Amino acid sequence: MQNPISAETQEASGRSVTMSRRKLLSSAGILLGAAAVGAVAWRYRPAPDHDRPRLSVAEAFSAAGAGSITLVDIRTPREWRSTGVPVGSVQIDMRRDDFTEALSRALGGNRAAPVALICARGVRSARMVRRMAEAGFSQIMDVPEGMLGSGAGPGWIAGNLPVARWQG
């Protein structure tokens, strides 16, 4: 026996259509499940491929500390506040309309200067490495482990590399 819910009763083609609580909950569960699967798939999607050099987080930390690269954290201010930022890095939110110009300024206008990009899990940095190579940055590198780890490795934080509080 159906238990009709008046809010779900509609007129469709001149006849009354009633949805039971069970059917409504089942439909909602299916939609929520599909959304959850999509969110997980999006979060853990593979990074785009590129032919640029990749650095481990330890290599990036060492090279930035030695002054041989500029390490740029391209995550969002919310992420910087949440986890802190890699010691020795410059922070430039990749969503900025003027990201390319801001990166160029961080390199003193020298698009041939060595620069490595880091994000949370290596997906955004890979995407931006490709984009910046197309924009003329000739020594652009990727840190695919990211801050939180990925298939490339455990990441900056789990690697116990130093993190500074973001001064935003």
Side-chain angles (χ1 to χ4, degrees):
M1 179 166 158
Q2 285 189 347
N3 184 2
I5 302 171
S6 61
E8 277 67 49
T9 302
Q10 304 173 8
E11 286 298 318
S13 303
R15 64 177 192 215
S16 179
V17 178
T18 315
M19 185 179 290
S20 70
R21 288 182 197 270
R22 176 178 286 156
K23 189 170 184 176
L24 176 65
L25 291 173
S26 175
S27 297
I30 290 169
L31 289 174
L32 288 173
V37 167
V40 168
W42 180 84
R43 181 178 177 102
Y44 293 103
R45 68 197 180 283
D49 197 25
H50 60 77
D51 62 354
R52 298 309 204 175
R54 291 166 174 85
L55 300 176
S56 70
V57 289
E59 291 168 330
F61 173 65
S62 178
S68 59
I69 66 163
T70 299
L71 177 62
V72 179
D73 186 341
I74 64 168
R75 298 176 301 147
T76 66
R78 181 175 156 202
E79 291 173 292
W80 299 331
R81 271 190 300 278
S82 174
T83 65
V85 297
V87 166
S89 70
V90 173
Q91 296 78 49
I92 307 173
D93 185 340
M94 69 172 273
R95 301 171 306 163
R96 289 176 55 164
D97 290 337
D98 69 337
F99 180 85
T100 304
E101 293 77 23
L103 181 58
S104 185
R105 282 191 302 275
L107 300 174
N110 181 4
R111 290 187 180 203
V115 59
L117 305 182
I118 189 169
C119 64
R121 296 190 182 274
V123 175
R124 291 174 288 177
S125 62
R127 191 177 319 136
M128 293 304 286
V129 160
R130 289 175 63 176
R131 194 169 122 196
M132 292 304 99
E134 291 169 3
F137 291 85
S138 60
Q139 291 195 60
I140 190 91
M141 294 166 256
D142 188 10
V143 184
E145 290 178 54
M147 291 296 289
L148 305 177
S150 70
W156 193 281
I157 294 170
N160 292 318
L161 294 170
V163 180
R165 185 175 184 174
W166 180 57
Q167 303 295 318

